[in-house]
Amino acid sequence: MGSITDIKGTFTLHNGVKMPYFGLGVYLSEDGKEVINAIKWALEAGYRHIDTASIYNNEEGVGAGIKESNVPREDIFVVSKVWNSDQGYDNTLKAFDKSLNRLELEYLDLYLVHWPVVGKYKDTWKAMEYLYKQKRVRAIGVSNFMQHHLEDLLGTAKIIPMVNQMEFHPYLVQQSLLDFCSDKNIQYEAWSPMMQGKIFGIDTFKEIANKYNKTIAQIVLRWDLQKGVITIPKSSKQERILTNADIFDFELTPEDMANLDSLDRGQRFGPDPDNFDF
């Protein structure tokens, strides 16, 4: 893990690509004006990492927002994901082309396997490796892969995933999976860091937020980064986009980090990777 400096700071993936450790998620952001504005506000505020997916149905708006911003394309780290029904070797290649066309981009910075679809994710990964070797994407990774999924994939993979994006928050730390990914040089990334809003009712977070004169959201996002986990809070509101990023002028003490770690109860607010059905 590199040092945490500012909103444009990066962690270096195992292939040498520098990935901004703080970004904007656009899940549930409506395509069109809503997501376009969110992208432009985020980039104007200094964000350099945008995370979308084909299933979000807003890749066109993401691409338009990037194009309408004043930030050069090469300075923005753009991520998308192949959806479950598009998995398999040939289908993944087609899905990638469709995502690029919707985004109106020449390449992606990171492409992820959205979920470990049994019987398909190995062939999907072979397609990801092909896209990577063709230099159409700068990094490839997975999302929602538990340790046994990763071990199975690594049995045949020629390229180790650079990233694993997981549900991650103080109620679901999964430290053993974090450690496994660290040992394999797979960068961990958080989705749903706010526990779908449940985090705002937890007394421990209220107390720590008051101590640092920060919001609860800022505390959990800072905790993510200090755990070495990339985080992509989603918002389409300009004020929230700005306040979420105001986390680089303080540092949680080891005691407060341990206090938040101790809240872990293995509780999911999203689907279980071993038992999901879309």
Side-chain angles (χ1 to χ4, degrees), residues 31 50 74 106 140-143 150 171 191 195-196 208 217-218 244 246-247 252 260:
D31 198 24
I50 307 296
E74 60 270 21
E106 297 296 317
I140 51 175
V142 296
S143 182
L150 290 169
Y171 275 14
W191 64 260
M195 296 164 31
Q196 297 183 7
I208 294 176
Q218 289 165 342
N244 281 345
D246 187 18
I247 58 172
L252 294 168
L260 295 176

Side-chain angles (χ1 to χ4, degrees), residues 77 123 128 136 163 179 181 183 191 218 222 264 276:
F77 195 93
D123 284 337
M128 307 286 270
R136 302 192 67 202
V163 173
D179 293 341
C181 288
D183 288 344
W191 64 260
Q218 289 165 342
R222 182 72 199 191
D264 186 20
F276 66 94

Side-chain angles (χ1 to χ4, degrees), residues 170 202-216 218-220 222-223 250-263:
I202 299 173
D203 288 339
T204 301
F205 268 94
K206 293 175 183 175
E207 293 164 7
I208 294 176
N210 288 336
K211 173 181 174 181
Y212 290 89
N213 195 28
K214 287 289 181 178
T215 67
I216 289 174
Q218 289 165 342
I219 294 297
V220 74
R222 182 72 199 191
W223 174 79
F250 76 106
E251 184 174 341
L252 294 168
T253 65
E255 294 75 20
D256 287 328
M257 288 293 293
N259 193 2
L260 295 176
D261 287 351
S262 72
L263 297 175

Side-chain angles (χ1 to χ4, degrees), residues 82-93 113-128 142 145 149 152-153 156 276 278:
V82 57
W83 184 240
N84 305 342
S85 57
D86 291 326
Q87 287 199 35
Y89 188 87
D90 291 335
N91 285 341
T92 296
L93 298 180
V113 183
H114 210 147
W115 290 86
V117 177
V118 176
K120 287 191 175 181
Y121 64 74
K122 285 191 172 184
D123 284 337
T124 301
W125 188 250
K126 287 177 184 174
M128 307 286 270
V142 296
F145 274 53
H149 297 123
D152 184 46
L153 184 65
T156 55
F276 66 94
F278 295 97

Side-chain angles (χ1 to χ4, degrees), residues 125-173:
W125 188 250
K126 287 177 184 174
M128 307 286 270
E129 292 177 327
Y130 174 80
L131 291 166
Y132 178 70
K133 288 172 183 173
Q134 294 294 310
K135 299 189 175 179
R136 302 192 67 202
V137 57
R138 297 175 65 226
I140 51 175
V142 296
S143 182
N144 302 300
F145 274 53
M146 302 296 286
Q147 182 170 333
H148 68 90
H149 297 123
L150 290 169
E151 288 173 335
D152 184 46
L153 184 65
L154 293 176
T156 55
K158 292 183 173 63
I159 300 171
I160 295 173
M162 286 115 198
V163 173
N164 188 16
Q165 187 183 119
M166 297 292 296
E167 180 177 355
F168 178 79
H169 45 69
Y171 275 14
L172 187 68
V173 176

Side-chain angles (χ1 to χ4, degrees), residues 4-9 21-24 41-48 194 214-215 217-219 221-222 225 231-235 237-250:
I4 300 164
T5 54
D6 56 37
I7 193 172
K8 297 177 186 175
Y21 48 56
F22 187 83
L24 179 74
W41 289 330
L43 292 174
E44 186 180 325
Y47 286 66
R48 291 297 179 264
M194 310 296 175
K214 287 289 181 178
T215 67
Q218 289 165 342
I219 294 297
L221 294 172
R222 182 72 199 191
L225 297 187
T231 191
I232 45 169
K234 65 181 184 186
S235 184
K237 296 180 172 62
Q238 185 174 21
E239 183 182 1
R240 186 72 55 79
I241 288 170
L242 295 174
T243 58
N244 281 345
D246 187 18
I247 58 172
F248 299 102
D249 58 353
F250 76 106

